[in-house]
Amino acid sequence: MSNQQHDSMEARARSAFEESIRLKEDFIRREAGTLVRASLRIVETFRQGGRLYLFGNGGSAADAQHIAAEFINRFLVDRAGLPALALTTDSSALTSIGNDSDFTRVFSRQLEALARTGDLVWAFSTSGNSPNVLRGLESARSMGIGSIAFLGGDGGGAAALAEIPVIVGSRDTPRIQEVHSVAGHVICELVETHLFGSRADED
C-alpha cells in the first residue's frame, strides 16, 4: 500500500468518527429530554407489571435484541430481570407469518398474540418507513399500547405513529445506528438507575 492510499484511508476513518461525534452532539442537544421521557415511560411500564416488546429489521433487529438482553439480564448493576422481548428472534414465527401471510405482518401479528394493555413497544427503523415496523406501530396504537420509536432522517411515517419518536437527524444508516446504540444504552442506564439505584449507591 502506498503512503497516499494509507493517508486516504486514515482520512476516511477520521471523517467517519468526526461525523459520528457531530451527530451524537447534535442529537443530545435536541433529544436529551426525549430520552428521559422514554426512560420514564419504560419505568412506568415495568412498575405496573407490563412488558416491553422491541423490533426492527437488519441492524435495527440486532439493536432490538441487544437492548432486550440488557433489560432481561443486567446493564450496570446486578438486579432482578426486567420483562423485555425482541420480536426478531423467533425464526419459526417470523418465517411462518411471512410465508402464510405477509412479511409486513411479522411484528404486528406477534403483538396481537402477545401484547396486552399496559405493555409498551420499542421500534427501530433508520428510515422510519419500514412497512413491517409501521404495521407494528399501527397495531400497538389500535390495541391502546404505547410506543417508542428510534428513527432517522425526518422520522418517516413512524414518527406520526409513535407515542415517543426519537429521531437522529441524518440519512446515513451506519451513523444513525451508532447514535441509536448510544441512546439505547443511555435509556438502559436511566431505567436501571431509576428502578434499582446506581453502582455508586452500592458503595
Side-chain angles (χ1 to χ4, degrees):
M1 179 186 294
S2 68
N3 288 338
Q4 184 177 8
Q5 289 174 316
H6 181 278
D7 290 346
S8 175
M9 291 179 70
E10 185 175 306
R12 190 178 185 91
R14 289 182 182 276
S15 177
F17 267 84
E18 288 165 0
E19 176 63 7
S20 187
I21 292 166
R22 184 194 68 77
L23 277 174
K24 291 182 179 76
E25 290 176 339
D26 176 68
F27 174 84
I28 199 60
R29 278 194 297 269
R30 293 183 297 102
E31 300 287 353
T34 309
L35 292 184
V36 171
R37 184 181 167 209
S39 300
L40 292 175
R41 189 70 176 80
I42 295 170
V43 167
E44 175 189 26
T45 298
F46 287 149
R47 279 186 168 161
Q48 294 180 354
R51 295 189 175 196
L52 178 64
Y53 294 96
L54 305 92
F55 54 87
N57 297 289
S60 294
D63 288 339
Q65 293 165 210
H66 171 189
I67 297 301
E70 303 286 18
F71 284 124
I72 290 170
N73 183 29
R74 69 188 298 277
F75 187 63
L76 294 175
V77 299
D78 291 326
R79 37 76 175 175
L82 295 167
L85 177 66
L87 301 182
T88 54
T89 58
D90 187 336
S91 60
S92 293
L94 293 169
T95 55
S96 66
I97 296 166
N99 183 63
D100 296 343
S101 178
D102 190 294
F103 188 70
T104 62
R105 296 192 66 198
V106 293
F107 303 135
S108 62
R109 183 66 169 167
Q110 291 185 79
L111 288 174
E112 290 161 8
L114 300 171
R116 298 291 182 267
T117 301
D119 291 339
L120 184 68
V121 305
W122 184 346
F124 295 79
S125 173
T126 57
S127 70
N129 289 313
S130 300
N132 55 5
V133 170
L134 294 178
R135 195 151 182 177
L137 288 169
E138 288 169 352
S139 288
R141 174 178 281 193
S142 69
M143 296 169 70
I145 295 170
S147 59
I148 298 164
F150 268 28
L151 310 168
D154 62 3
L161 292 171
E163 176 188 348
I164 306 176
V166 182
I167 302 171
V168 179
S170 171
R171 297 191 183 277
D172 187 334
T173 296
R175 303 290 88 85
I176 296 168
Q177 290 172 333
E178 288 156 11
V179 180
H180 283 178
S181 180
V182 176
H185 277 169
V186 168
I187 287 179
C188 288
E189 182 170 355
L190 293 177
V191 170
E192 191 174 70
T193 300
H194 202 88
L195 290 172
F196 301 100
S198 66
R199 286 181 296 183
D201 296 335
E202 298 175 342
D203 298 335

